[in-house]
Amino acid sequence: MKVSSFLIPSITVLWICIGSFVAFPPQRQVAAETKTAVVTIPEEMRVESKPKCPPSLQALKKQRGITEDPRFATTPLIVIEKEARHLGLYRHGILDLEGDGTPKCWKVALAPQAPSGPKQHEGDLRTPEGWYKVTDAQGSSYKDALLVHYPNCQDAKRGQKAGLIKERLRKEICQAETHRARPVQNSHLGGQILIHTGGYEDKVDWTLGCIALSANHLEKLRSSLPASKKTTV
């Protein structure tokens, strides 16, 4: 599966578009890191049980003040609002529905008490912000997990400027993005950002950087993707 994501400054939304990109808009409160772990979660970190996704991408963009981007035309498109802790699946700009009319809007869990802002480096517990492709996380211990293609070219350029990586690695990461290939996952920029189930699932914030769904909702998400599993976030 290939997905893209886009992160928007001051907005906690994660976009996942079926077909080409995954979007992780910046968040104000919680971010995610490369791996997951179970921790004791205080009551205030519990995830709301009844998510409410915007009925359309137009409504979402109006609510959040998001500028137009041609990648929003990708369909289906997965949108994750990180602060609100929910994931919505959109088709042709409209929130998709299950057979019984139930909106495909599901709650997610992220990392508790993580720093705000886009991911900068390995171990900073932040969620990437920008457009990212997503593919099946082959070899993951989490069944049916999806791998977010972080870092992208923009992350690599920032990392080189900060002295985290060399020019050669920046070029390699940018080339991987151009060819929709999996980028290097073991650099100082971090990696292995997953969308998965397991652990406390979506009950509380518990990951160290991944996006957690219930097993049932992850199954429904994957069954809603194209047979090729090529997706944009």
Side-chain angles (χ1 to χ4, degrees):
M1 164 185 291
K2 294 184 178 180
V3 181
S4 301
S5 63
F6 179 62
L7 300 173
I8 303 168
S10 300
I11 300 176
T12 58
V13 179
L14 163 63
W15 306 82
I16 302 178
C17 311
I18 308 301
S20 46
F21 297 96
V22 175
F24 296 82
Q27 63 185 60
R28 290 189 291 271
Q29 295 180 345
V30 178
E33 211 332 84
T34 59
K35 299 179 181 179
T36 57
V38 176
V39 296
T40 301
I41 307 297
E43 184 66 27
E44 59 268 22
M45 295 307 296
R46 294 188 178 278
V47 177
E48 292 294 329
S49 60
K50 297 181 179 180
K52 295 181 179 180
C53 298
S56 68
L57 293 179
Q58 190 62 34
L60 175 64
K61 288 185 282 188
K62 184 176 181 179
Q63 291 173 13
R64 300 294 191 176
I66 300 170
T67 58
E68 289 294 336
D69 188 294
R71 288 169 289 194
F72 289 145
T74 304
T75 191
L77 169 68
I78 300 170
V79 177
I80 300 174
E81 296 192 66
K82 297 189 292 185
E83 186 175 330
R85 300 295 196 284
H86 61 229
L87 177 156
L89 180 64
Y90 293 78
R91 292 184 186 277
H92 306 293
I94 305 299
L95 184 62
D96 201 17
L97 303 177
E98 297 183 31
D100 61 0
T102 302
K104 292 183 179 180
C105 178
W106 307 301
K107 62 178 180 175
V108 300
L110 303 176
Q113 303 175 339
S116 62
K119 186 169 183 58
Q120 301 292 324
H121 56 80
E122 182 179 16
D124 65 6
L125 300 180
R126 292 183 172 91
T127 297
E129 297 180 359
W131 289 89
Y132 301 88
K133 296 175 179 61
V134 173
T135 55
D136 286 315
Q138 298 180 0
S140 172
S141 60
Y142 293 104
K143 181 181 178 181
D144 294 331
L146 304 175
L147 172 70
V148 176
H149 282 205
Y150 170 88
N152 62 17
C153 191
Q154 183 177 357
D155 299 317
K157 291 178 180 178
R158 185 196 66 246
Q160 182 188 5
K161 185 176 181 179
L164 294 173
I165 61 173
K166 301 296 184 180
E167 171 71 4
R168 181 177 180 180
L169 182 54
R170 180 196 68 76
K171 290 183 177 180
E172 182 179 344
I173 292 172
C174 290
Q175 185 176 36
E177 180 177 342
T178 299
H179 296 288
R180 298 191 175 187
R182 173 176 173 167
V184 172
Q185 293 292 292
N186 59 352
S187 74
H188 290 301
L189 298 178
Q192 292 297 322
I193 304 296
L194 304 178
I195 300 173
H196 65 81
T197 187
Y200 288 120
E201 296 191 336
D202 59 2
K203 303 298 188 299
V204 297
D205 284 327
W206 62 278
T207 78
L208 293 179
C210 298
I211 300 94
L213 289 164
S214 71
N216 180 46
H217 292 161
L218 179 59
E219 180 180 359
K220 288 183 177 181
L221 172 63
R222 291 183 62 91
S223 68
S224 299
L225 304 182
S228 64
K229 292 297 186 293
K230 293 182 179 180
T231 303
T232 297
V233 177

